[in-house]
């Protein structure tokens, strides 16, 4: 008789593994809309099945919590029940022996404290009082609220121009977003329950590249004039929608080209200049005036406020951040902002044969590293104090940099810029790190044992974020906090009649789509401030829903040019979807917008 047996997965284990995978997919695409009481009850019930039963708080406490939550949901609870849920959850959290118990208790405690008013609504009204809207996950996940199921249906029907018209109802820069958007909409796509989330960004790009030209509907002139300070995505979006509403808009841009960080922060291989300029020109052709190379300070802003009926301040975040290290002012040390600005002005530096060290772990760090390769650098090293898994850069950006022979040196914190006798940078001293516990939601590094390491290099590029040049406006009474323009939720600057602000200068450096949303919000509220109620309306008819029996079908990905080829030029790296891929991908959409917004609450937003 054998002493031991080779472990093989049993049939029951295989089934449980499949069930776990299905549960994981459900959780990954869950929107923020479910009833918080019911969601937490389900979570507690699942955690109770994982209890080993060793400690009483977990074994009995989770079972008791499950019954208490069911009392709330089944209209058997009183206000004392809510207090009992809180005290029980607190006991489970504080006294369970392991994470199975105390994390379940923590979630229950977080829910009953964070949504107490909804618990009370269940007790008194016997119904969920949680505020819910736009429950289609992709639409909820898009900061600009673009009607994603609608334009995907139009792509599937071959109506590409109408798809772009629908996108521009909420986002005037569909080509830009089709190329560089971080696509938060895909995170919660319910198609992920079946197989893979929809390739929403790829379909947006396909629609734009195959659409014909058209002109938007512009309402009659109102006689009102608005000044927009800054020609980035927030300023362009605000100007576009105000123009459609019939107002006269003038953009004041500090630099020689419009686009803001779209031009001066994103390299050509991701967002080709010609395509960016083409989309911006399409917007300007609606009747927007532009004054380029026109820097506006605080005093001139006050003058513009007297000459115009309203002013929108969208100056972005174009100042660089310093490391605060010895030797940082040496020759050969530059900021990512300066490098990408030079590239945007068609004034590239020459890195031929040099070793370049990039400090940072975001998308900008990846951009300057990959740009350095194309500028002829012999070796590019990315020094980052956390792990690669903790980088804020998108996974595809990190993978792209590594494919283009950029070396990632994680868990090494910059300590000193080494300088030679001539005052030029000759290396970067870094300190090895070890990762630790969470701090502000991210694993925090600390110094590890072992000596410092010197990375020999000819250039050091600092890519640790951007700051906002707001001091000149603050001097004129514009409220600022940590350098950011303070605004009300509607975009109005408090205490400054007729002055609105948005984009990176208000939120801090963020994504393109968030800046677009800020401009859209400001446009609607400026229109109201001026005494109007002009609407931006849905002007296309959507195809009827055709359920054709959705079967499993994997996602079509956009492929990239070979790394050994693309590192020698600044041509676009990513190839778009083919006709066959785009139509197959569009056909995968589950059309969660059926019946307005499906079997969910709310309805399609046809105007704003």
């Amino acid at each position: 008789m054998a002493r031991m047996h080779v472990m093989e997965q049993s049939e029951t284990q295989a089934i449980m593994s499949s069930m776990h995978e299905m549960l994981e997919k459900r959780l990954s695409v869950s929107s923020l809309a479910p009833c918080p009481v019911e969601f937490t009850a389900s979570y507690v019930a699942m955690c109770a099945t994982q209890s080993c039963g060793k400690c009483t708080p977990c074994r009995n406490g989770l079972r008791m919590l499950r019954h208490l939550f069911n009392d709330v949901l089944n209209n058997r609870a009183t206000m004392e029940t809510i207090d009992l849920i809180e005290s029980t959850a607190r006991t489970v959290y504080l006294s369970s022996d392991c994470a199975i118990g105390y994390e379940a208790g923590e979630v229950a405690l977080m829910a009953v404290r964070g949504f107490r008013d909804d618990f009370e609504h269940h007790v008194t009204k016997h119904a969920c009082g949680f505020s819910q809207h736009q429950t289609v996950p992709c639409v909820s996940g898009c900061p600009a609220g673009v009607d994603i199921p609608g334009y995907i249906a139009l792509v599937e029907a071959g109506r590409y121009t109408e798809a772009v018209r629908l996108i521009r109802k909420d986002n005037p820069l569909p080509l830009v977003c089709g190329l560089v958007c971080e696509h938060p909409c895909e995170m919660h796509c319910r198609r992920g329950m079946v197989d893979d989330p929809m390739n929403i960004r790829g379909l947006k790009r396909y629609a734009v590249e195959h659409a014909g030209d058209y002109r938007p509907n512009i309402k009659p002139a109102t006689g009102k004039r608005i000044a927009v300070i800054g020609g980035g995505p927030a300023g362009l979006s605000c100007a576009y929608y105000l123009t459609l509403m019939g107002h006269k808009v003038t953009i004041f841009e500090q630099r020689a080209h419009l686009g803001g960080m779209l031009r001066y922060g994103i390299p050509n291989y991701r967002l080709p200049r010609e395509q960016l300029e083409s989309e911006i020109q399409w917007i300007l052709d609606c009747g927007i005036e532009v004054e380029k190379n026109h820097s506006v300070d605080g005093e001139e802003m006050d003058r513009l406020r007297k000459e115009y009926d309203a002013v929108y301040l969208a100056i972005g975040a174009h100042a660089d951040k310093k490391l605060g290290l010895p030797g940082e002012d040496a020759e050969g040390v530059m900021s990512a902002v300066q490098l990408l600005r030079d590239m945007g002005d068609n004034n590239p530096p020459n890195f031929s044969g040099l070793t370049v060290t990039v400090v940072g772990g975001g998308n900008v760090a990846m951009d300057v590293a990959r740009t350095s390769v194309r500028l002829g650098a012999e070796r590019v090293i990315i020094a980052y104090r956390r792990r690669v898994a903790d980088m804020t850069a998108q996974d595809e950006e990190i993978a792209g940099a590594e494919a283009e022979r950029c070396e990632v040196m994680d868990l090494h914190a910059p300590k000193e810029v080494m300088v030679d006798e001539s005052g030029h940078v000759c290396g970067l001293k870094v300190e090895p790190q070890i990762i630790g516990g969470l701090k502000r939601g991210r694993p925090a590094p600390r110094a590890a044992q072992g000596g410092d390491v010197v990375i020999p290099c000819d250039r050091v590029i600092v890519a640790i974020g951007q700051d906002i040049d707001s001091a000149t406006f603050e001097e004129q009474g514009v409220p600022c906090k940590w350098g950011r323009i303070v605004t009300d939720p509607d975009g109005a600057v408090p205490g400054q009649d007729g002055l609105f602000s948005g984009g990176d200068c208000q939120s801090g450096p963020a994504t393109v789509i968030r800046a677009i949303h800020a401009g859209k919000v400001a446009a609607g509220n400026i229109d109201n401030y001026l005494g109007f109620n002009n609407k931006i309306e849905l002007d296309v008819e959507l195809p009827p829903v055709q359920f054709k029996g959705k079967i499993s079908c994997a996602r079509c990905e956009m492929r990239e040019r070979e790394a050994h080829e693309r590192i020698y030029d600044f041509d676009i790296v990513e190839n778009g979807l083919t006709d066959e891929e785009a139509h197959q991908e569009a056909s995968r959409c589950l059309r969660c917008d059926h019946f307005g917004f499906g079997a969910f609450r709310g309805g399609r937003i046809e105007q704003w």
Side-chain angles (χ1 to χ4, degrees):
M1 185 174 181
R3 288 175 57 188
M4 303 172 68
H5 296 275
V6 175
M7 181 180 288
E8 294 183 355
Q9 188 179 48
S10 67
E11 183 178 353
T12 55
Q13 288 173 328
I15 294 173
M16 284 300 299
S17 178
S18 296
M19 291 172 66
H20 283 161
E21 184 179 350
M22 293 171 69
L23 177 61
E24 181 182 351
K25 286 183 175 181
R26 288 262 171 180
L27 289 174
S28 68
V29 303
S30 177
S31 70
L32 301 178
C35 167
V37 180
E38 190 165 4
F39 185 87
T40 310
S42 299
Y43 180 83
V44 168
M46 183 188 71
C47 292
T49 67
Q50 298 175 316
S51 175
C52 69
K54 182 176 74 71
C55 68
T56 302
C58 181
R59 182 182 67 245
N60 294 337
L62 293 184
R63 187 171 65 234
M64 182 180 293
L65 277 176
R66 183 176 61 191
H67 292 316
L68 292 171
F69 273 103
N70 285 335
D71 286 345
V72 174
L73 292 169
N74 293 320
N75 307 327
R76 298 191 297 263
T78 65
M79 290 299 182
E80 288 72 25
T81 307
I82 302 174
D83 295 332
L84 187 55
I85 288 176
E86 182 172 1
S87 61
T88 304
R90 186 172 183 273
T91 300
V92 173
Y93 171 57
L94 292 175
S95 54
S96 293
D97 285 351
C98 75
I100 291 175
Y102 69 67
E103 286 200 350
E106 182 182 21
V107 169
L109 193 60
M110 189 187 311
V112 74
R113 289 176 174 175
F115 297 103
R116 189 176 182 92
D117 55 343
D118 197 64
F119 279 78
E120 293 176 354
H121 198 278
H122 272 278
V123 171
T124 58
K125 305 293 185 183
H126 297 168
C128 180
F130 184 60
S131 175
Q132 305 184 48
H133 64 284
Q134 287 193 13
T135 52
V136 171
C138 59
V139 179
S140 299
C142 174
V146 175
D147 188 346
I148 293 167
Y151 81 72
I152 288 178
L154 290 166
V155 170
E156 184 181 9
R159 296 160 57 187
Y160 311 122
T161 304
E162 291 171 286
V164 174
R165 291 186 78 108
L166 179 56
I167 296 169
R168 282 196 170 120
K169 179 177 75 70
D170 301 287
N171 174 4
L173 296 164
L175 175 59
V176 166
C177 289
L179 292 171
V180 301
C181 184
E182 294 189 345
H183 46 83
C185 51
E186 296 181 12
M187 289 177 58
H188 303 296
C189 172
R190 283 198 174 97
R191 181 72 203 200
M193 296 183 200
V194 181
D195 32 56
D196 300 308
M198 296 289 299
N199 192 337
I200 296 172
R201 182 172 68 86
L203 289 172
K204 182 187 284 99
R205 173 178 171 180
Y206 182 87
V208 177
E209 291 178 343
H210 292 78
D213 192 25
Y214 77 95
R215 298 312 306 171
N217 298 320
I218 299 176
K219 298 188 182 302
T222 63
K224 299 294 184 180
R225 300 168 65 231
I226 298 97
V228 173
I229 303 174
L236 287 168
S237 300
C238 183
Y240 173 73
Y241 290 119
L242 285 171
T243 301
L244 296 192
M245 294 172 184
H247 308 303
K248 188 63 179 174
V249 181
T250 302
I251 297 176
F252 296 87
E253 169 55 43
Q254 181 182 34
R255 307 202 179 280
H257 303 278
L258 293 174
M261 277 298 179
L262 298 177
R263 182 178 181 100
Y264 294 101
I266 301 178
N268 193 83
Y269 64 80
R270 289 181 59 208
L271 180 57
R273 298 283 177 265
E274 297 79 9
Q275 291 177 271
L276 172 61
E277 290 178 358
S278 174
E279 184 149 71
I280 291 175
Q281 190 58 51
W282 187 92
I283 292 174
L284 298 182
D285 287 344
C286 294
I288 300 170
E289 295 181 357
V290 180
E291 292 191 20
K292 300 176 185 177
N293 295 309
H294 189 144
S295 181
V296 175
D297 59 14
E299 291 185 3
E300 184 169 10
M301 182 198 67
D302 282 347
R303 178 182 64 80
L304 294 176
R305 290 178 63 190
K306 296 173 183 176
E307 294 182 6
Y308 289 80
D309 298 292
V311 173
Y312 183 57
L313 189 59
I315 57 173
H318 293 265
D320 50 38
K321 279 190 174 181
K322 301 293 185 181
L323 287 168
L325 300 179
E328 188 174 9
D329 296 328
E331 185 181 352
V333 179
M334 66 188 306
S335 69
V337 172
Q338 184 58 53
L339 174 61
L340 295 175
R341 184 178 298 161
D342 290 342
M343 299 301 297
D345 283 331
N346 301 315
N347 183 32
N350 183 5
F351 288 170
S352 296
L354 303 181
T355 297
V356 177
T357 300
V358 178
V359 179
N363 282 336
V364 174
M366 301 304 122
D367 285 341
V368 296
R370 298 173 72 178
T371 296
S372 298
V373 170
R374 287 162 172 77
L375 292 174
E378 183 176 331
R379 186 183 180 198
V380 177
I381 303 137
I382 301 170
Y384 185 56
R385 67 192 186 101
R386 289 186 169 92
R387 303 170 301 173
V388 171
D390 304 316
M391 284 182 165
T392 57
Q394 292 176 275
D395 291 342
E396 54 262 40
E397 286 297 303
I398 299 170
E402 292 178 327
E404 294 171 4
R405 60 178 175 79
C406 298
E407 305 169 35
V408 179
M409 195 172 181
D410 63 345
L411 289 173
H412 282 81
K415 193 171 182 181
E416 181 182 353
V417 177
M418 309 302 291
V419 182
D420 61 20
E421 295 178 354
S422 65
H424 195 282
V425 61
C426 63
L428 178 69
K429 181 186 290 186
V430 293
E431 181 180 44
Q433 304 285 292
I434 182 171
I435 205 67
L438 294 180
K439 185 176 181 181
R440 295 181 181 176
R442 299 175 66 194
R446 66 179 188 276
Q449 296 179 357
D452 296 338
V453 177
V454 175
I455 307 172
C457 58
D458 307 293
R459 294 286 188 278
V460 172
I461 304 177
V462 181
I464 59 171
Q466 298 95 249
D467 275 332
I468 303 160
D469 287 325
S470 59
T472 181
F473 303 102
E474 191 170 10
E475 291 171 0
Q476 298 301 314
V478 175
C480 297
K481 185 176 183 180
W482 299 316
R484 302 176 186 176
I485 310 296
V486 175
T487 68
D488 292 330
D490 63 355
V493 177
Q496 304 285 321
D497 186 53
L499 179 63
F500 293 75
S501 182
D504 287 358
C505 68
Q506 178 267 328
S507 65
T511 60
V512 174
I513 192 65
R514 290 195 177 279
I516 289 170
H517 173 64
K520 169 186 167 182
V521 168
N525 290 319
I526 290 172
D527 181 68
N528 282 0
Y529 166 78
L530 296 174
F532 299 89
N533 190 30
N534 290 300
K535 300 293 184 182
I536 304 298
E537 300 170 329
L538 172 67
D539 58 357
V540 298
E541 183 178 345
L542 299 180
V545 177
Q546 297 180 2
F547 292 112
K548 295 167 288 189
K550 303 294 183 180
I551 59 174
S552 180
C553 179
R555 164 188 171 115
C556 290
E557 300 286 4
M558 291 185 286
R559 291 178 288 275
E560 296 183 340
R561 296 163 55 210
E562 293 294 332
H564 69 85
E565 168 193 328
R566 69 193 192 217
I567 61 174
Y568 296 107
D569 60 49
F570 281 90
D571 294 342
I572 191 166
V573 165
E574 188 178 59
N575 298 316
L577 297 173
T578 65
D579 295 345
E580 183 181 19
E581 289 170 338
H583 285 91
Q584 174 176 298
E585 189 63 23
S587 71
R588 296 176 62 240
C589 181
L590 297 178
R591 289 304 300 271
C592 298
D593 60 326
H594 190 41
F595 300 125
F597 265 148
F600 314 107
R601 302 163 182 84
R604 169 166 275 110
I605 298 178
E606 298 189 354
Q607 64 179 21
W608 59 268

